[in-house]
């Protein structure tokens, strides 16, 4: 690395990740830290203590997003921000989201160690509920901050047990008073593990994200009718689960059709009612997700899924309708941020590649209100949303050092 570039303390970063890995530990190497759970509270408390020990002012907004601020010389200027999430999937790994937060903390700690002042303030944000593993939609905190979800919608959302976001947020003590979107960011950079195999397979340690995948999500209601599983003739059944099954395989086939160009499709969730032996199900709900690097093809896949719904409904003699839908990935990345990252990487002698993001991230929401860029670091074999998720410190450090040096460059502009 170029001798003028600053370097973070790798061991301290690793220790922070390992300490986080003890909170909500699952199956030895994984984490289950659902948003607004006791484990999430413990991690939030730990983070706030670390940020305060690093001299930051910590504030919490109305949906529980946490902001740790390191003042700038001209503190009235908009901050250079970074951040990610500390909530995890149901069977999550130790690095998804956590690496981005701990890297941001390490940026601040390193600037303290080196006695570096910046012209602009630096803000490190922990976004509430990125994964959507308990309350939906995913990226709730960053979407609300960016004005894409209303405060009321977030606070009223419920988990599978009917517990309300607002009540759970108050229970863990993170119902903050800071107004949503109160601060303006000059730029927002997020570091994240790639969650795919590209960097690991190619053997390059740093990815500068230049575009996303267009992604569509649908919640589909299948409605049939209950009946006895014995006497009801086959041709008189309206089995909602059979309709759902036809659709699941059709959605999978659509993914395979577009696989050569990088398309993919998934039905990750199904619920069924009454879901009991002896009775034909009257209702099924599916969540369907499909993605493609070309936005027009992703839209074409949406049309194909709708056609498959009509076919599956007819085959199973049931009704199907889309009851909720969302999409993201309309290129939210800023050319200025991409250039700042690439210029800094070149100056530091960091070998990087341009890469696409295939997952959703908080950065997408922030990209709508501020210039935004992302750095990817490798995870072993691309395994993520799995307790086996793992990283190598040596292959992670170039990306974290790129975050540090780019943030300082931007904060002194
Ligand atoms: Zn993540």
């Amino acid at each position: 690395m170029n001798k003028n570039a600053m370097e973070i303390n790798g061991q301290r970063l690793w220790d922070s990740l390992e300490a986080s890995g003890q909170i909500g530990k699952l199956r030895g190497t994984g984490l289950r830290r659902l948003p607004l759970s006791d484990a999430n509270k413990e991690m939030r408390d730990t983070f706030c203590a670390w940020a305060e020990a690093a001299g930051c002012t910590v504030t919490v907004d109305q949906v529980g997003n946490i902001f740790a601020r390191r003042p700038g010389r001209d503190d009235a200027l908009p901050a250079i921000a970074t951040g990610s999430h500390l909530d995890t999937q149901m069977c999550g790994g130790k690095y998804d989201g956590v690496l981005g937060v701990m890297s941001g903390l390490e940026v601040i700690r390193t600037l303290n160690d080196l006695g570096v002042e910046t012209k602009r303030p630096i803000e490190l944000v922990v976004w509430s509920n990125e994964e959507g593993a308990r309350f939906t939609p995913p990226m709730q905190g960053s979407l609300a901050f960016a004005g894409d979800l209303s405060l009321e919608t977030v606070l009223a959302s419920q988990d599978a047990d009917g517990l309300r976001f607002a009540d759970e947020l108050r229970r863990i003590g993170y119902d903050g008073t800071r107004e949503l979107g109160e601060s303006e960011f000059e730029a927002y950079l997020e570091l994240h593990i790639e969650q795919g195999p590209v960097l690991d397979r190619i053997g390059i340690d740093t990815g500068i994200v230049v575009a996303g995948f267009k992604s569509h999500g649908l919640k589909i209601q299948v409605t049939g009718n209950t009946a006895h599983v014995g006497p009801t003739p086959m041709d008189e059944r309206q089995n909602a689960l059979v309709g759902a099954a036809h659709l699941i395989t059709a959605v999978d086939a659509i993914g395979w059709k577009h696989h050569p160009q990088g398309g993919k499709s998934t039905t990750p969730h199904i619920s069924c009612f009454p879901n009991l032996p002896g009775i034909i199900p009257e209702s099924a709900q599916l969540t369907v997700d499909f993605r493609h690097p070309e936005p027009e093809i992703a839209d074409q896949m949406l049309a194909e899924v709708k056609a498959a719904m009509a076919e599956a409904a007819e085959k199973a003699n049931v009704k199907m309708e889309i009851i909720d839908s969302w999409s993201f990935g309309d290129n939210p990345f800023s050319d200025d941020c991409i250039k700042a990252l690439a210029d800094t990487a070149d100056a530091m002698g960091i070998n990087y590649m341009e890469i696409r993001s295939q997952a959703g991230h908080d950065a997408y929401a922030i990209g709508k209100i501020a210039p935004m860029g992302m750095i990817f670091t490798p995870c072993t074999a691309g395994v993520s949303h799995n307790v086996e998720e793992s990283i190598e410190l040596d292959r992670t450090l170039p990306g974290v050092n790129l975050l540090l040096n780019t943030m300082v460059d931007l904060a002194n502009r």
Side-chain angles (χ1 to χ4, degrees), residues 85 96-97 130-131 192 195 361:
H85 57 99
D96 175 0
E130 193 273 347
E131 297 288 6
H192 205 284
Q195 302 185 281
H361 295 290

Side-chain angles (χ1 to χ4, degrees), residues 363-378:
Y364 284 43
I366 306 310
K368 291 193 174 174
I369 53 163
M372 180 280 282
M374 288 192 79
I375 300 167
F376 276 178
T377 56

Side-chain angles (χ1 to χ4, degrees), residues 189-193 206-209 341 373-377 398-400 402-404 406:
L189 300 179
E190 180 166 344
L191 180 142
H192 205 284
I193 56 168
T206 307
I208 295 177
V209 184
L341 288 166
M374 288 192 79
I375 300 167
F376 276 178
T377 56
V400 185
L402 177 59
L403 177 72
L404 165 66
T406 311

Side-chain angles (χ1 to χ4, degrees), residues 59-340:
T59 52
V60 179
D61 75 9
Q62 295 159 300
V63 298
N65 294 321
I66 304 171
F67 301 80
R69 183 181 172 96
R70 184 180 194 264
R73 272 197 308 279
D74 194 346
D75 210 38
L77 289 174
I80 303 301
T82 187
S84 202
H85 57 99
L86 294 173
D87 64 292
T88 76
Q89 278 290 347
M90 185 69 88
C91 300
K94 286 196 290 192
Y95 307 103
D96 175 0
V98 181
L99 179 63
V101 174
M102 296 311 160
S103 295
L105 185 61
E106 193 49 45
V107 165
I108 289 171
R109 287 169 165 172
T110 302
L111 295 179
N112 292 345
D113 289 349
L114 301 176
V116 174
E117 281 192 332
T118 54
K119 181 170 131 193
R120 293 174 181 277
I122 283 178
E123 278 202 39
L124 167 58
V125 192
V126 179
W127 302 108
S128 276
N129 184 27
E130 193 273 347
E131 297 288 6
R134 183 178 176 200
F135 302 95
T136 56
M139 296 171 254
Q140 244 174 353
S142 48
L143 285 169
F145 179 86
D148 260 1
L149 262 186
S150 74
L151 174 63
E152 295 68 32
T153 310
V154 175
L155 294 181
S157 63
Q158 296 185 2
D159 71 5
D161 298 324
L163 296 173
R164 286 172 69 241
F165 188 101
D167 299 333
E168 286 294 276
L169 191 63
R170 194 175 319 117
R171 185 184 71 80
I172 66 164
Y174 281 84
D175 49 335
T177 52
R178 183 169 156 147
E179 297 271 322
L180 284 177
E182 193 179 280
S183 54
E184 194 190 332
F185 297 153
E186 178 69 9
Y188 175 84
L189 300 179
E190 180 166 344
L191 180 142
H192 205 284
I193 56 168
E194 182 202 334
Q195 302 185 281
V198 176
L199 293 172
D200 192 37
R201 198 174 283 161
I202 296 178
I204 291 180
D205 296 341
T206 307
I208 295 177
V209 184
V210 293
F213 265 48
K214 179 74 181 278
S215 166
H216 285 291
L218 305 175
K219 195 168 183 182
I220 296 165
Q221 169 67 40
V222 185
T223 308
N225 205 355
T226 59
H228 197 298
V229 297
T232 313
M234 287 303 284
D235 58 358
E236 287 179 24
R237 294 168 182 231
Q238 295 174 269
N239 188 334
L241 198 52
V242 172
H246 287 312
L247 183 61
I248 291 171
T249 54
V251 164
D252 192 56
I254 291 167
W256 278 104
K257 176 182 162 193
H258 295 282
H259 163 63
Q261 293 78 37
K264 37 201 76 168
S265 66
T266 320
T267 306
H269 177 258
I270 183 169
S271 65
C272 171
F273 180 83
N275 205 22
L276 288 169
I279 184 164
I280 291 172
E282 71 171 12
S283 166
Q285 274 190 8
L286 305 175
T287 305
V288 170
D289 180 295
F290 42 98
R291 303 171 186 225
H292 199 283
E294 303 303 328
E296 314 77 57
I297 311 288
D299 294 345
Q300 185 191 319
M301 290 171 84
L302 174 61
E304 290 169 0
V305 170
K306 285 180 179 170
M309 281 173 63
E311 215 172 291
E314 196 187 331
K315 240 173 161 175
N317 194 25
V318 296
K319 281 201 311 200
M320 277 193 205
E321 56 178 332
I322 296 170
I323 54 172
D324 196 9
S325 65
W326 54 93
S327 85
F328 58 83
D330 290 314
N331 194 9
F333 296 89
S334 133
D335 290 340
D336 285 348
C337 287
I338 293 170
K339 187 174 183 311

